[in-house]
Amino acid sequence: MRLDHIAIAVRSLDEVLPFYTEVLGLTCTGQEIVAEQGVRLAMLPVGEGRLELLEPLSEHSPVGRFLARRGEGLHHIGLQVDDIERALAHLRARGIRLVDEEPRCGAEGRKIAFLHPASAHGVLIELVEVPKERREP
Ligand code: ZN
């Protein structure tokens, strides 16, 4: 496994981005709307991974509800796996509770699936399928 991204819930990308770019000096390499997750996200590479800032498209989306409940802050971490179906079968066999029984479509059209935080010691973990041949060296 490799770290893919760390996702941070924010109320407004426009308000928060200057902190990451001008104050911390990171570069925003793209923004994308992921309708399936109800977010607009901004990507900021750091080392081999990246930060993803998530702005909810509506207050009823999962990230919108998270903001209402807990405010801005760390939302989830994304870990890369070679084969997401195999990884989910491995977790299921060990009794790990999954948010997504089947992979769905995430940012950049990649296959993703979330584990339930109740089975991951309070952390929302997302698996992201990145086959070995598509990894950067
Ligand atoms: Zn994510």
Side-chain angles (χ1 to χ4, degrees), residues 5 7 37 52 54 76-78 112 114 126 128:
H5 62 274
Q37 291 179 53
E52 288 185 2
L54 308 177
H76 68 266
I77 63 171
I112 62 150
F114 284 93
E126 174 189 4
V128 183

Side-chain angles (χ1 to χ4, degrees), residues 27-45:
T27 303
C28 178
T29 55
Q31 290 192 23
E32 185 179 340
I33 287 177
V34 184
E36 201 169 344
Q37 291 179 53
V39 294
R40 184 159 75 104
L41 68 82
M43 303 167 188
L44 302 110

